[in-house]
Amino acid sequence: MVGDHAAGRLRRVLGVGFGLAVIIGSTLGIGILRTPGIVAGQLRIPGAIIAIWILGGLYTLLGSICLTELGTMVPQAGGFYVYARRAFGDWVGFAVGWTDWIAYGSVLGYISIGMSEFLGGLVPSLAGAVRPVAIALLVGFVGLQWAGVRVGSWVQSWTTAMKCLAFLALVVAGLAMSSTASASAPRAAAPLAPLTLAGLVAALQAVVITFGGWQSALYFTEEDRDPVKNLPRVMIGGVLVVIVIYVLVNLALLAILPVPSLAASTLPAADAAQLVVGARGRQIITILSIVSLVPLLNAIMMIGTRILFGLGRDRLFWSRTAEVNAGGTPGVATLITTAVAIVLIATGTFQRLIAMTSFFLAVNYAICCLALVALRRREPATARPFRAWGYPWSAAIVVAGALALLVGALIGDTISALEATGLLAVGLFGHAVHRRVR
């Protein structure tokens, strides 16, 4: 049976705790420390700012509900790739899996560099060795992965708990000292421009992107002890927790910073912390950023290897990537994913790939939303332990939003979209050669 405890198989040892930790750990991060300023610059009204965060959270919740149906229907490692292949065949499945893996490999490089830069801010002696430190951090996390899925799960759960406590402490401190801090807050001289429809759309897009990571538990359903029972709990519960934290962070920022000051800030959390605790505020936010990146780096490493594992097991990639060590870690897939991330860090090419992979993420999300509709029509008799609430309207909203994100990514950075298409073509060519050789 796939997923038993024998060596060479993924191990069913994960539960609700890990599921919540991987969703919250992958979602809650630097984005919420930066994005409130962008949203405030577009909306200008405190009530509208809070409302757009709630609206973006509800859209994300709809997406999690729809994809939970696919996750419980096909509880296999690989996430988006699994559903695309089931609905549209090997070629589309490979395209989604290939681009999803590249996206996560690029994010690994990005996070490692970011974590190294933050450490350099705290320890000046490390500031001149950003890339070597980033590679060392990445290799350290590989050691944790190699120890087995139980160790990776433990690290994910505890570091995510620390992250949540740190964010809640920031919120409590901000709200408790808001009256004193707001009195000394600088006032932006320039008046804000009026609210526009374009500004509303841009704000909503920024909010939805900040919720990115909510789908992370889908990649581990094969390792969950009871995915039918646990996946709906973690997908819905995880998103609800993130919505609450995001709204609380924005309420705290609005209590400290006037809207014009919030809109003018590139890192509003640091500005607010500086008003609350003084000169150490930015150092506190730097520490919070490092804390937020630890579970994110761990989760992204685990997700990337599961995608490659799924591709290898289905013989759409090198079959050895489906080999699993005694601890339940896909060993070869981990080494390949790490090697690619190290090359990206050393060459700096991850910066270009990040722009390209944002397009991949939009495409793959749209394809998976369409997969739900396609499988409902083609496989009506297939068992669905969890059915998307409000279908077909919920699916229609999610699909429309996914396509809008795709169009936005295409229009916003057409060059990166074209380059991403070229990278996809390279992968499809390699897949064609692999099929022919096999």
Side-chain angles (χ1 to χ4, degrees), residues 57-148:
L58 292 177
Y59 172 75
T60 302
L61 184 62
L62 274 183
S64 71
I65 288 169
C66 288
L67 266 64
T68 295
E69 176 174 320
L70 294 174
T72 54
M73 176 184 171
V74 194
Q76 296 176 4
F80 284 0
Y81 150 73
V82 175
Y83 319 133
R85 180 172 181 258
R86 176 72 169 254
F88 305 116
D90 284 355
W91 281 97
V92 174
F94 173 81
V96 169
W98 163 253
T99 54
D100 209 22
W101 178 64
I102 289 176
Y104 280 106
S106 304
V107 173
L108 270 180
Y110 172 75
I111 295 170
S112 301
I113 287 287
M115 198 169 174
S116 178
E117 289 175 342
F118 285 128
L119 284 172
L122 293 177
V123 184
S125 60
L126 299 178
V130 171
R131 289 183 182 178
V133 171
I135 292 173
L137 288 169
L138 188 60
V139 171
F141 274 91
V142 172
L144 289 175
Q145 299 297 317
W146 210 263

Side-chain angles (χ1 to χ4, degrees), residues 379-437:
E379 301 182 23
T382 300
R384 289 173 170 80
F386 178 91
R387 300 179 74 89
W389 303 339
Y391 187 92
W393 299 110
S394 57
I397 294 171
V398 173
V399 169
L403 294 176
L405 288 173
L406 176 57
V407 172
L410 182 60
I411 295 174
D413 194 349
T414 305
I415 293 177
S416 293
L418 293 174
E419 290 175 343
T421 303
L423 191 59
L424 172 59
V426 170
L428 291 175
F429 175 77
H431 177 59
V433 172
H434 173 73
R435 287 171 67 97
R436 191 172 186 85
V437 170

Side-chain angles (χ1 to χ4, degrees), residues 39 42-55 195 200 203 254:
V39 174
Q42 299 291 345
L43 299 185
R44 292 98 179 177
I45 305 169
I49 292 170
I50 297 300
I52 206 71
W53 281 98
I54 295 174
L55 181 62
L195 176 63
L200 182 63
L254 286 167

Side-chain angles (χ1 to χ4, degrees), residues 2 29 94 112 118 163 197 220 232 240 242 245 329 332 407:
V2 173
F94 173 81
S112 301
F118 285 128
K163 178 196 287 195
L197 178 60
F220 301 96
L240 288 175
V242 174
I245 293 176
T329 297
V332 176
V407 172

Side-chain angles (χ1 to χ4, degrees), residues 141-217:
F141 274 91
V142 172
L144 289 175
Q145 299 297 317
W146 210 263
V149 68
R150 288 186 185 274
V151 175
S153 171
W154 183 87
V155 170
Q156 188 66 36
S157 298
W158 280 101
T159 55
T160 298
M162 291 172 57
K163 178 196 287 195
C164 287
L165 289 174
F167 271 93
L168 290 175
L170 177 67
V171 169
V172 171
L175 292 175
M177 304 180 68
S178 59
S179 57
T180 302
S182 60
S184 58
R187 308 287 163 174
L192 292 171
L195 176 63
T196 64
L197 178 60
L200 182 63
V201 172
L204 182 58
Q205 185 179 34
V207 168
V208 171
I209 291 172
T210 308
F211 275 96
W214 59 267
Q215 74 278 13
S216 299

